[in-house]
Amino acid sequence: MLILLCGIIFLHVAALALLFVSTIVSAWTVSPTSSADLWVNCSSANGGYNCDTLETGVWIQAVQALMILSIIFSFLSLFLFFCQLFTLQKGGRFFLTGAFQILASLFVMSGAIIYTVMSPEWVPPTESFGFAYILAWVAFPLAFISGLIYVILRKRE
């Protein structure tokens, strides 16, 4: 049981770390001379490096909000897991923890889908998706799987 708990915690912390990195790092779209994330566009020209805040519309604000919500819900899910671990009765299931983690996965999936659909009108064709965008997509199944494990998991003595 201890190995299972450590594995679940490791999976959850890995998903949470991926959510943090994908939200913070400036690499959702990259090119040889520029990079962009959810917050700023940075470009290098004439030996200088210039970063401007994003002003692309409502859709990027929706992606920002969804990514932040996914981090909050994933963190709350981890906190609830530890609380339920010590307060839940024997044989009880971690439904609330699993629901929060599944919601976190749905938030990150929704944010990545919105970014994918809306970015062609904003991102030039010379740029490609960066590693932070890919990490967001990797965080989705990890968070979803850990949420399902929490729902299935029963507490034992």
Side-chain angles (χ1 to χ4, degrees):
M1 184 68 179
L2 182 62
I3 294 173
L4 179 64
L5 286 176
C6 290
I8 292 169
I9 292 170
F10 176 76
L11 182 64
H12 192 129
V13 170
L16 188 59
L18 290 177
L19 288 172
F20 267 114
V21 171
S22 67
T23 303
I24 295 170
V25 173
S26 180
W28 277 64
T29 55
V30 293
S31 74
T33 58
S34 67
S35 66
D37 65 353
L38 303 178
W39 313 102
V40 295
N41 286 334
C42 297
S43 60
S44 60
N46 301 329
Y49 200 70
N50 184 26
C51 290
D52 299 319
T53 58
L54 292 178
E55 296 180 18
T56 58
V58 179
W59 70 270
I60 196 73
Q61 292 174 353
V63 176
Q64 291 170 346
L66 287 167
M67 292 302 291
I68 290 172
L69 279 172
S70 70
I71 291 171
I72 291 169
F73 271 73
S74 185
F75 180 77
L76 287 175
S77 176
L78 187 62
F79 179 74
L80 284 170
F81 175 67
F82 285 120
C83 289
Q84 286 183 324
L85 194 59
F86 296 110
T87 61
L88 197 64
Q89 295 177 359
K90 182 180 178 183
R93 292 186 184 244
F94 297 89
F95 285 124
L96 189 60
T97 301
F100 271 59
Q101 189 67 359
I102 290 172
L103 280 173
S105 72
L106 295 177
F107 287 145
V108 71
M109 179 194 69
S110 299
I113 286 173
I114 291 170
Y115 194 88
T116 304
V117 170
M118 298 303 288
S119 63
E121 64 188 43
W122 173 65
V123 178
T126 58
E127 294 187 2
S128 61
F129 291 116
F131 75 91
Y133 171 80
I134 295 167
L135 288 180
W137 276 113
V138 171
F140 160 63
L142 289 180
F144 190 73
I145 290 169
S146 68
L148 289 178
I149 290 172
Y150 285 132
V151 169
I152 295 169
L153 186 66
R154 286 184 183 266
K155 182 179 179 185
R156 293 185 181 178
E157 282 295 323

